[in-house]
Amino acid sequence: MTSKTDSVWFTTKGQVVIPAWLRKQFHIEEGTKAVVQATVEGILLKPVTAALIKQGRGVLKRKPGDKRLVKEWAEHKKLEREVEERHAR
């Protein structure tokens, strides 16, 4: 990591162009998503890259006998859709 700084300008839509050296350093490519967070110091922009996802693997440890996360997530989404359908009526 370098402590180099740069300047950017906001467009009327609030968009900014991330300088090329930062895009390269953080492996940001076209279509890369990012998490935006308000902090005490300002706006924090965290690119969601393959490296970040790989770094986070294993963070949510599962206990032996627990449902697979994929199955648990599918059940959660099903319940969520049912709730939405009930409220849409």
Side-chain angles (χ1 to χ4, degrees):
M1 280 302 149
T2 63
S3 60
K4 180 179 174 183
T5 61
D6 213 332
S7 296
V8 297
W9 292 264
F10 288 90
T11 67
T12 56
K13 291 183 176 184
Q15 300 167 325
V16 296
V17 174
I18 305 298
W21 64 273
L22 280 169
R23 293 193 311 265
K24 185 176 181 181
Q25 181 176 336
F26 290 95
H27 311 285
I28 298 171
E29 300 172 353
E30 182 180 350
T32 299
K33 291 189 176 200
V35 175
V36 181
Q37 182 179 359
T39 70
V40 176
E41 294 183 41
I43 301 168
L44 176 62
L45 183 68
K46 297 181 194 178
V48 180
T49 61
L52 181 66
I53 293 168
K54 187 175 181 181
Q55 179 183 0
R57 285 190 181 149
V59 172
L60 300 174
K61 298 286 184 193
R62 310 292 288 170
K63 295 176 191 154
D66 281 353
K67 293 179 190 173
R68 293 189 62 215
L69 189 57
V70 172
K71 185 173 183 175
E72 194 173 317
W73 183 252
E75 291 172 359
H76 168 77
K77 294 304 286 180
K78 182 181 175 187
L79 288 172
E80 193 175 65
R81 279 191 300 274
E82 290 172 359
V83 169
E84 287 175 0
E85 288 172 3
R86 269 188 257 133
H87 289 288
R89 295 179 197 160

